[in-house]
Amino acid sequence: NAGVTQTPKFQVLKTGQSMTLQCAQDMNHNSMYWYRQDPGMGLRLIYYSASEGTTDKGEVPNGYRASRLNKREFSLRLESAAPSQTSVYFCASLLGAGIEKLFFGSGTQLSVL
Amino acid sequence: QKEVEQDPGPLSVPEGAIVSLNCTYSNSAFQYFMWYRQYSRKGPELLMYTYSSGNKEDGRFTAQVDKSSKYISLFIRDSQPSDSATYLCAARGGSNYKLTFGKGTLLTVNP
């Protein structure tokens, strides 16, 4: 049972480059999330998808675009990376319907030079 | 102002102490309240969750929610060095799946 799988685990980009973070869950969960975690800032919500076919902005969506490809997959795209996007990115999924356990992936460490 | 506020600490206690971790929130629509624990270089893991107001106990851990004062608490009894981690509170509304976290409190339990 893989749970939530994020790829890649590490990435170094130059300013202005683009990339897509991939996330897949095999638990048949309805909701999926992208967070970034920075020292002293905690987990900040970038985008979330309450259910298949929906995507909504979180606290810090600028510079990102998220896509719920199907029920399993939720991607996050950086169109033109900036140094301020250097962070650890976590994908998570939630079954919902009263089951409030959020399952996290292992994270992607992204550095933008 | 963040919807969920949490003192980042750090908090350092001796083994066996009772630890109290607290958060406040501003959104009256929040119905679900959670505590996650995060070890260094790992993703957060759910510790406890509470629906609406009240207490919930699980072993050495007790979660409390007071909706009248918009206050969320986690108590750890007989703290152990293995409890050393960052503790994050989180909350969301009943029909809104936007889950908001506090900044996290770094706890160190010294042997």
Side-chain angles (χ1 to χ4, degrees):
Chain A
N1 189 355
V4 179
T5 303
Q6 279 183 247
T7 55
K9 293 191 184 303
F10 301 94
Q11 184 72 48
V12 178
L13 293 177
K14 295 181 179 179
T15 298
Q17 287 185 317
S18 62
M19 76 161 296
T20 300
L21 305 181
Q22 306 285 355
C23 177
Q25 52 92 7
D26 62 1
M27 297 172 284
N28 202 34
H29 283 180
N30 293 312
S31 304
M32 296 185 74
Y33 303 78
W34 277 107
Y35 288 91
R36 60 177 290 175
Q37 188 170 36
D38 305 289
M41 301 298 289
L43 282 165
R44 291 184 292 169
L45 183 62
I46 306 171
Y47 271 92
Y48 69 105
S49 170
S51 60
E52 184 179 0
T54 69
T55 304
D56 289 288
K57 295 178 180 179
E59 302 170 71
V60 289
N62 291 345
Y64 305 95
R65 186 162 51 89
S67 298
R68 184 75 181 266
L69 305 173
N70 48 55
K71 191 168 187 180
R72 291 187 63 247
E73 299 172 286
F74 190 40
S75 65
L76 184 70
R77 183 160 179 83
L78 287 70
E79 290 288 357
S80 179
S84 61
Q85 293 177 306
T86 293
S87 187
V88 179
Y89 291 83
F90 287 102
C91 175
S93 70
L94 177 76
L95 179 59
I99 309 299
E100 292 303 314
K101 185 173 182 177
L102 197 63
F103 286 80
F104 282 84
S106 56
T108 296
Q109 179 109 34
L110 175 67
S111 294
V112 183
L113 306 178
Chain B
Q1 181 194 7
K2 277 179 69 75
E3 288 188 299
V4 179
E5 297 282 358
Q6 183 176 8
D7 185 344
L11 186 61
S12 181
V13 301
E15 183 175 354
I18 296 175
V19 176
S20 173
L21 302 169
N22 305 293
C23 295
T24 59
Y25 65 95
S26 58
N27 190 336
S28 299
F30 284 161
Q31 297 278 359
Y32 294 94
F33 304 92
M34 289 135 274
W35 283 96
Y36 282 81
R37 179 173 60 195
Q38 184 177 25
Y39 291 111
S40 183
R41 301 185 187 280
K42 300 286 188 183
E45 293 180 311
L46 180 69
L47 200 55
M48 300 185 73
Y49 86 86
T50 311
Y51 175 71
S52 195
S53 279
N55 293 359
K56 191 170 186 178
E57 189 172 322
D58 183 3
R60 297 184 293 110
F61 298 88
T62 300
Q64 284 186 353
V65 176
D66 183 344
K67 292 192 76 177
S68 63
S69 59
K70 296 188 176 66
Y71 208 74
I72 313 166
S73 301
L74 178 71
F75 299 95
I76 307 174
R77 291 183 298 280
D78 187 25
S79 55
Q80 302 296 309
S82 58
D83 295 329
S84 298
T86 296
Y87 290 80
L88 302 114
C89 59
R92 74 168 183 90
S95 57
N96 184 340
Y97 283 83
K98 179 182 175 184
L99 184 62
T100 302
F101 281 82
K103 290 184 178 182
T105 300
L106 177 61
L107 171 67
T108 301
V109 181
N110 301 299

